[in-house]
Amino acid sequence: RQMCIRDSYYYNLTLGAGTYQYRFLAGDNLGAWNYTDIQIFSIAQGTPIISLYLNDTAGDIQFVYESLLNASMNASDDEVSLQLFRNGTDITSEADQFVQLGVGVYEYVANCTATDNYTVATSATYYVTITVATPTISLYLNGTASDISFIYGNQVNASMNASTDQVTLKLYRNGTDVTLQNNSFVKLGAGVYEYYVNSTATTNYT
């Protein structure tokens, strides 16, 4: 836009990065003209600011397996295209999505490709640490999650389950492995019997 302030003229416009030539011309009411020599100026590419967030945190995070992770990113100008990387692999399609990862340490970083007006830029690098979870294990005796008692002649059904199918369960009676009797009716002699269940450790569970 051209403006005149106290016999000074200004022309405002928005230009992209690059090198430009210009000169000023002026004419009077009598038709006389004058002009300046050609001048040159350059506009350098800018460097965008790239922000990375892990579960809305701009920094390293840690949580227990089973929780979900959301990695999001943004740039100071939407002219640039962003890419998201986990351990060096492009996972841009996972941006703003909730994903579940196994136990381990993961490196996250975002960057953008160069454009006419912006250079390549990279966000800060953040790390996600996921630790092993403890599964919930349930034991039922005749459908009851507690001690039971009954008269000899009746049968007992011991059943078990876990909050995840990633673990293997074992059923014990008085310290003896009776896993094969899981969810089966068994007739026992008079006496007191101790039942318990445990699970083996896996990559993601204790």
Side-chain angles (χ1 to χ4, degrees), residues 7 9 18 21 23 29 35-36 43 54 57 61-62 71 92 117 119-120 123 128 133 144 146 151 156 165 193:
D7 297 325
Y9 288 85
Q21 295 181 346
R23 73 184 339 163
N29 294 332
Y35 53 86
T36 67
I43 300 175
L54 301 175
T57 299
I61 62 171
Q62 178 175 317
T92 305
N117 297 317
T119 62
V120 171
S123 71
V128 178
T144 301
S146 63
I151 297 174
V156 60
D165 58 7
Y193 300 89

Side-chain angles (χ1 to χ4, degrees), residues 179-180 203:
T179 304
L180 294 178
T203 302

Side-chain angles (χ1 to χ4, degrees), residues 41-61:
F41 70 93
S42 296
I43 300 175
Q45 288 177 300
T47 301
I49 298 172
I50 309 298
S51 300
L52 172 64
Y53 301 92
L54 301 175
N55 286 358
D56 294 325
T57 299
D60 301 337
I61 62 171

Side-chain angles (χ1 to χ4, degrees), residues 105-172:
V105 178
Y106 301 89
E107 177 190 81
Y108 276 80
V109 66
N111 68 21
C112 72
T113 54
T115 67
D116 290 340
N117 297 317
Y118 288 99
T119 62
V120 171
T122 302
S123 71
T125 298
Y126 298 138
Y127 292 89
V128 178
T129 301
I130 302 175
T131 58
V132 292
T134 300
T136 300
I137 298 174
S138 300
L139 169 64
Y140 301 93
L141 300 176
N142 288 0
T144 301
S146 63
D147 298 338
I148 62 171
S149 62
F150 52 80
I151 297 174
Y152 172 73
N154 292 305
Q155 294 182 320
V156 60
N157 177 291
S159 60
M160 57 186 177
N161 60 53
S163 57
T164 174
D165 58 7
Q166 291 188 34
V167 298
T168 299
L169 299 180
K170 287 190 175 183
L171 175 66
Y172 293 85

Side-chain angles (χ1 to χ4, degrees), residues 20-42:
Y20 299 88
Q21 295 181 346
Y22 72 95
R23 73 184 339 163
F24 291 107
L25 299 91
D28 59 22
N29 294 332
L30 299 177
W33 287 86
N34 200 356
Y35 53 86
T36 67
D37 292 334
I38 293 177
Q39 307 293 322
I40 297 175
F41 70 93
S42 296

Side-chain angles (χ1 to χ4, degrees), residues 78-99:
D78 58 11
E79 177 182 322
V80 299
S81 296
L82 297 175
Q83 292 176 299
L84 178 66
F85 293 86
R86 179 176 62 234
N87 292 349
T89 299
D90 188 337
I91 57 162
T92 305
S93 61
E94 290 185 11
D96 296 311
Q97 305 294 319
F98 285 93
V99 298

